[in-house]
Amino acid sequence: MRIYLNKISQPTILTLAVLAGLSTQPVSAETLELDTLNVVGNTVTPETNSVDAEQIEKMQANDLQDLFSQSPEVTVGGGPDAAQKLYIRGIEDQLLNITIDGAQQSTRQYHHAGRISIEPELLKRVEVNAGAGNALSGPGALGGSMKFITKDPEDMLKPGQKFGGLVKGSFSSNTDSFKTNTSLFGRMTDDWSAMVSYTRNDTDNYEDGDGNEVLGTGFDQDYVFAKIVGHMTESQTLRLSYEKRQDEGERARRPQWLVSEGNPLFPIDIERKTLTLNYELNPIDNAYVDMTLTLYHTETELFQDGAFGPYYGDGKSKGFDLRNTSILGMHKLTYGLDYREDTTTAGGEAYSDNSAFEDKSEVRGVYIQDDMQITDALLLSAGLRYDDYELDDQIGNNNFDEDDISRNIGVNYHFTDSFSAFASYAEVFKGPQAQDAFKIDFVANSPDLKPEKAKNVEFGVAYDSQSWFGSAKVYRSRIEDVVADPAGGPRLFENIGDLKSDGVIVELGYRWDNILGKVSYHHNEADVDGIEANAYDHNGIANTVRDTLLTQLDYQLDAQWSFGWNAQFVKGRDNVKFSDGEVDKPGYGVHDLYAQWIPSELHDVRITMTVRNVFDKNYIDQASVADYTSISGYEIVRGYNEPGRDVRLSVAWQF
C-alpha cells in the first residue's frame, strides 16, 4: 500500500455519506503494514513555511522576525521583540490557532504589544498550516495554525551517551551584547531522560541602517526550560515540559510605535509560563490505536508602569486535546475532542486591585478528519469539527453561547511520483472569546456580537524530484463579521465587516550535490470592509505586505564548512489608502549571510557567523506600522526602523 499523505492540503466539507462509509471498510492484513505510511503534518498543500532546528541555528534566530525571515506566507512586524506581531497571509495571530508543544496560546494582554513570545534556542521545528485549517488545526483557526515543537533530551544526546551538555555563547555587534545558553541532558534510566536549560539575553538599544540609536529596543530576557521524557512501555511515551520566559525593558507606551514625545518610554515586563503534559499510546501492529493526550496550563502576564500608574494584564489558558488515529482499509481516520478555558484579568493601582476586571470564556470541540487513499495516486481528505463557545463578559454584563460546525475537504492527485495537483476548501467557525486585558476595564462586547466565520479555497500544483522542486498555489480567504474595537468607535468590540485575503505563492528550487538554491514569491491582497488591511486601522486583525520575493542559497563545502545567503525583497508602494488619508510604504532589499565551521578535530564544537542586513539598509518593515507622521493628527503613529548591519558570532560546545 502506497500513501502520499505527506504532500497535501487542508481538507474540508466532507459529506456525511462519505464519512458514514468508513465503517464498511474491511481491515485486511495489508492494513497493519504501518511502515508503508509516510505522514507529515496536517496539510494537503505543499509546505513552504516550516522551520527546523538547523535553519534556526544558522540564522542565529533571536525572535519571531528572525525565525520566519525565509517563510513566504508568514510576515512579522518588526521593531523590539515585545512589539512583534505575527501574520499568516496578512491575517494576525489572534485569528490563528498557535500552540507550543500542544499548549494553545490564546489570550491577549495588550493590543499595542506582541501576543506570541518564543525563545528559538530549543525549538526542534515549527509547522505552519496557512489558510483556514482542517479539523485537526484546533478551534478558531480562521487564518491557519502554527505549532512550535521543542527538543527532547534524546534529540540532544549523542548515540550511546548517558549524560551531556551544551554551552553556547553568541555575540551581536549591533547591540554590543551577549546571549548565553547552558543545557544539561541525560538518561536517568534506559527509558527515562531529562533536560534543563537556561538562556540569558541582555541587549542594548539597536542602531538602524543610518547608525541612529533606536530607543525602546533594548531588553533583558531570561528563559528556563525543563523536560522529562519517559518510554513507559514499547507503546507508551510520556513528556512533561515546563518553560518560563521573562522579558523586561523600557518600552514605548505603545510598543508598536516609535518612541516620541507623545509616546514616551515606560517599564514594560512580560512573563509567560507554560506547563504541558503529552502522552502517546501507539501499540505495535495495532492499526486502530494511535492515541495522544495533551494537557496544558499557560499564563502570560504583562505589566506596564505607564502614564496612569501601574497596570497589570494577565491571561490564563488551560485545557486538553485527546485524539486517536485508526487505519481502516483505505482510511486514515483521526478523531477526538478538545477543551480550553481562557481567563483574562486586568487592574492596577487606580483600582486597588490587580485583577479588578475579568473575562472568562470556554470552548469545547469534537472533531473527525479522514484521509482516504482512493488509489495509489489519489488522496481525498475531509473532516468536520463542532465547537461550542461560551463567554462571560463582566464589563458589559453580556453572556454569549455560540456553536456551529466547521467543514473541510481537500484532494491531492499524483500524476507521477514527482508531479501532483491539489485543491482544498475549508469553513471555520469561531465564537466570542475573552478580550484584550488592557481594554476590559472600559471596552465591552456589543450585545449583538456575532461569531466570526472563515471560508478558504486554494489550489495548485507541486513538483519534487531528486534535483528540482517547486510549487504554485492560489488562495482566497474570507472571514465574515470580523470582531474589533475600531479606533474612534463607541468603545465596543463589534462586528466591523469582512476580511478578505487573496494571493499567489510560487516556489522554485534546485538541489545539486552540495548546493541548494530556492526562490519564493508571495503576492497578497488583504482588505477589511473595502479598506486595505493596515496595522493602524486593523490592529489586531490584519496587515498587508503586497509583494515579497525571498531567495536562499546554501553550500556545503565539506563536513566542516557550510555557507549560505538569504535575501528578502519587498516592493514599495506609494499613496496607499487608509481610513483617513494615504501613506507611502517604501520598498527594500535585505541580504543575510552565514558561515558555519565544525573543526575536524573538535566535532563537538560549532562556530557560526551570521551577518544580518549586510548592506546596512535603513527601512521600516512593511509588516510593521507604516509612517503616518506627516498626516495631521497622526504625528506619533510610526513603526520602528529595522536594525542595521548585525554581525552575530556564536560558539557552541557540546560535551
Side-chain angles (χ1 to χ4, degrees):
M1 181 172 63
R2 189 178 190 182
I3 296 185
Y4 290 100
L5 296 183
N6 60 318
K7 294 288 184 184
I8 55 182
S9 130
Q10 276 94 314
T12 38
I13 283 188
L14 178 61
T15 64
L16 293 176
V18 175
L19 286 174
L22 297 175
S23 60
T24 65
Q25 296 297 327
V27 180
S28 64
E30 285 185 311
T31 306
L32 299 179
E33 296 178 10
L34 302 183
D35 58 336
T36 60
L37 293 171
N38 182 18
V39 181
V40 179
N42 293 344
T43 63
V44 185
T45 55
E47 184 53 73
T48 58
N49 302 289
S50 293
V51 186
D52 61 29
E54 183 180 359
Q55 292 171 283
I56 294 170
E57 182 180 27
K58 290 177 178 178
M59 291 186 293
Q60 298 195 60
N62 288 326
D63 54 29
L64 287 171
Q65 194 176 41
D66 292 345
L67 199 60
F68 294 106
S69 60
Q70 284 294 300
S71 299
E73 294 175 88
V74 181
T75 54
V76 179
D81 181 273
Q84 293 182 2
K85 296 196 172 190
L86 187 152
Y87 305 87
I88 294 180
R89 297 179 178 177
I91 299 173
E92 194 169 320
D93 53 61
Q94 70 180 37
L95 301 179
L96 314 174
N97 187 295
I98 298 179
T99 61
I100 301 174
D101 287 337
Q104 295 184 29
Q105 310 295 306
S106 55
T107 59
R108 289 177 281 168
Q109 283 66 53
Y110 186 23
H111 47 286
H112 283 297
R115 194 178 70 85
I116 304 301
S117 62
I118 197 73
E119 170 52 57
E121 195 64 45
L122 291 173
L123 287 177
K124 184 175 182 178
R125 65 182 183 275
V126 186
E127 298 175 359
V128 180
N129 292 319
N134 67 15
L136 308 183
S137 294
L142 297 171
S145 64
M146 184 174 294
K147 299 178 181 180
F148 295 93
I149 300 165
T150 60
K151 295 178 181 178
D152 287 347
E154 294 157 347
D155 297 321
M156 310 288 284
L157 287 165
K158 300 174 185 177
Q161 190 180 36
K162 293 292 186 181
F163 174 80
L166 175 68
V167 179
K168 181 177 179 181
S170 305
F171 171 75
S172 169
S173 68
N174 190 297
T175 56
D176 195 23
S177 63
F178 286 92
K179 178 180 180 180
T180 59
N181 170 260
T182 303
S183 301
L184 299 175
F185 35 85
R187 294 187 184 277
M188 298 177 286
T189 68
D190 289 343
D191 298 318
W192 288 84
S193 60
M195 67 181 294
V196 62
S197 180
Y198 173 70
T199 304
R200 176 74 178 176
N201 189 15
D202 297 341
T203 78
D204 295 332
N205 294 325
Y206 66 68
E207 295 182 353
D208 65 19
D210 287 341
N212 300 311
E213 180 183 2
V214 183
L215 299 177
T217 60
F219 54 79
D220 298 333
Q221 289 179 351
D222 287 280
Y223 178 71
V224 177
F225 178 79
K227 181 182 275 191
I228 298 173
V229 178
H231 301 286
M232 297 181 292
T233 66
E234 288 186 352
S235 60
Q236 297 181 83
T237 301
L238 184 72
R239 291 177 174 86
L240 179 65
S241 63
Y242 172 78
E243 58 176 338
K244 180 179 180 180
R245 187 177 190 271
Q246 293 179 292
D247 186 307
E248 302 175 352
E250 293 272 320
R251 275 71 180 253
R253 179 183 174 186
R254 303 170 181 85
Q256 260 185 303
W257 302 351
L258 195 68
V259 175
S260 64
E261 184 177 349
N263 193 36
L265 290 170
F266 291 107
I268 295 182
D269 302 338
I270 304 171
E271 180 180 280
R272 177 176 61 79
K273 294 177 287 188
T274 300
L275 179 65
T276 310
L277 184 145
N278 303 107
Y279 170 77
E280 299 174 3
L281 174 62
N282 186 10
I284 298 173
D285 295 334
N286 188 327
Y288 310 107
V289 179
D290 184 359
M291 188 182 74
T292 61
L293 170 65
T294 299
L295 301 170
Y296 60 88
H297 183 280
T298 185
E299 179 177 5
T300 303
E301 302 173 356
L302 190 149
F303 164 76
Q304 183 188 65
D305 194 357
F308 305 106
Y311 195 88
Y312 298 83
D314 180 274
K316 296 184 180 72
S317 293
K318 58 183 179 182
F320 72 87
D321 184 302
L322 175 63
R323 66 179 60 181
N324 185 56
T325 299
S326 301
I327 307 297
L328 302 172
M330 67 178 182
H331 301 274
K332 175 178 177 284
L333 185 66
T334 303
Y335 46 92
L337 60 146
D338 51 33
Y339 169 81
R340 190 184 75 236
E341 176 186 294
D342 298 328
T343 304
T344 300
T345 59
E349 188 176 81
Y351 305 103
S352 302
D353 184 355
N354 294 346
S355 55
F357 302 92
E358 180 180 279
D359 265 5
K360 186 175 181 179
S361 61
E362 296 177 83
V363 55
R364 304 169 186 84
V366 181
Y367 54 86
I368 183 171
Q369 189 73 34
D370 183 20
D371 295 317
M372 293 165 281
Q373 198 70 44
I374 308 299
T375 68
D376 282 353
L378 177 63
L379 175 74
L380 174 65
S381 185
L384 303 168
R385 72 170 291 131
Y386 167 81
D387 289 305
D388 180 17
Y389 287 81
E390 292 185 18
L391 169 63
D392 180 12
D393 165 22
Q394 182 188 44
I395 188 69
N397 253 341
N398 294 314
N399 293 299
F400 299 91
D401 189 347
E402 300 283 353
D403 64 289
D404 208 339
I405 293 175
S406 302
R407 309 167 177 87
N408 68 82
I409 189 168
V411 62
N412 184 290
Y413 184 79
H414 277 257
F415 298 97
T416 68
D417 286 350
S418 301
F419 180 63
S420 62
F422 52 86
S424 68
Y425 174 78
E427 296 178 358
V428 175
F429 154 82
K430 181 181 180 182
Q433 291 185 280
Q435 296 289 2
D436 189 330
F438 271 50
K439 286 189 175 183
I440 62 172
D441 61 338
F442 67 94
V443 181
N445 290 292
S446 167
D448 301 321
L449 196 66
K450 293 184 288 186
E452 298 164 295
K453 295 184 179 181
K455 297 178 181 179
N456 182 76
V457 60
E458 57 186 277
F459 58 89
V461 294
Y463 183 82
D464 193 354
S465 68
Q466 186 173 355
S467 298
W468 289 97
F469 63 93
S471 63
K473 53 185 171 182
V474 179
Y475 64 86
R476 168 164 287 189
S477 298
R478 298 288 182 268
I479 302 179
E480 300 173 355
D481 299 318
V482 169
V483 175
D485 166 36
R491 291 191 172 181
L492 278 178
F493 284 104
E494 57 187 359
N495 302 106
I496 64 168
D498 297 342
L499 165 60
K500 302 177 182 179
S501 176
D502 300 333
V504 177
I505 303 109
V506 180
E507 181 183 68
L508 180 64
Y510 185 74
R511 309 178 190 94
W512 181 65
D513 291 339
N514 49 358
I515 295 177
L516 170 68
K518 185 172 68 173
V519 60
S520 306
Y521 169 74
H522 184 198
H523 173 82
N524 173 255
E525 296 185 16
D527 67 76
V528 180
D529 217 24
I531 299 174
E532 179 170 313
N534 64 82
Y536 175 77
D537 285 327
H538 309 117
N539 187 22
I541 303 173
N543 191 13
T544 304
V545 179
R546 182 69 66 87
D547 293 283
T548 303
L549 179 71
L550 301 175
T551 60
Q552 176 185 346
L553 184 64
D554 293 303
Y555 174 54
Q556 186 76 43
L557 176 64
D558 52 34
Q560 284 76 49
W561 285 97
S562 59
F563 304 89
W565 164 69
N566 296 324
Q568 179 188 61
F569 304 94
V570 177
K571 184 179 180 181
R573 299 169 59 223
D574 296 332
N575 305 318
V576 179
K577 294 182 179 179
F578 75 106
S579 61
D580 200 22
E582 296 179 345
V583 295
D584 295 335
K585 301 182 75 172
Y588 46 87
V590 183
H591 302 259
D592 304 326
L593 298 173
Y594 79 84
Q596 187 173 73
W597 179 42
I598 303 174
S600 57
E601 68 279 10
L602 295 172
H603 288 285
D604 295 334
V605 175
R606 297 188 309 278
I607 301 173
T608 307
M609 185 177 75
T610 305
V611 185
R612 310 274 302 182
N613 194 357
V614 174
F615 299 110
D616 230 6
K617 181 68 176 179
N618 194 32
Y619 68 104
I620 299 176
D621 194 300
Q622 288 195 16
S624 302
V625 178
D627 185 354
Y628 293 77
T629 55
S630 62
I631 301 172
S632 178
Y634 292 84
E635 289 80 5
I636 66 172
V637 183
R638 186 189 191 279
Y640 285 79
N641 285 14
E642 291 300 298
R645 184 185 301 113
D646 186 13
V647 180
R648 301 178 184 177
L649 179 65
S650 71
V651 179
W653 172 47
Q654 185 167 345
F655 57 87

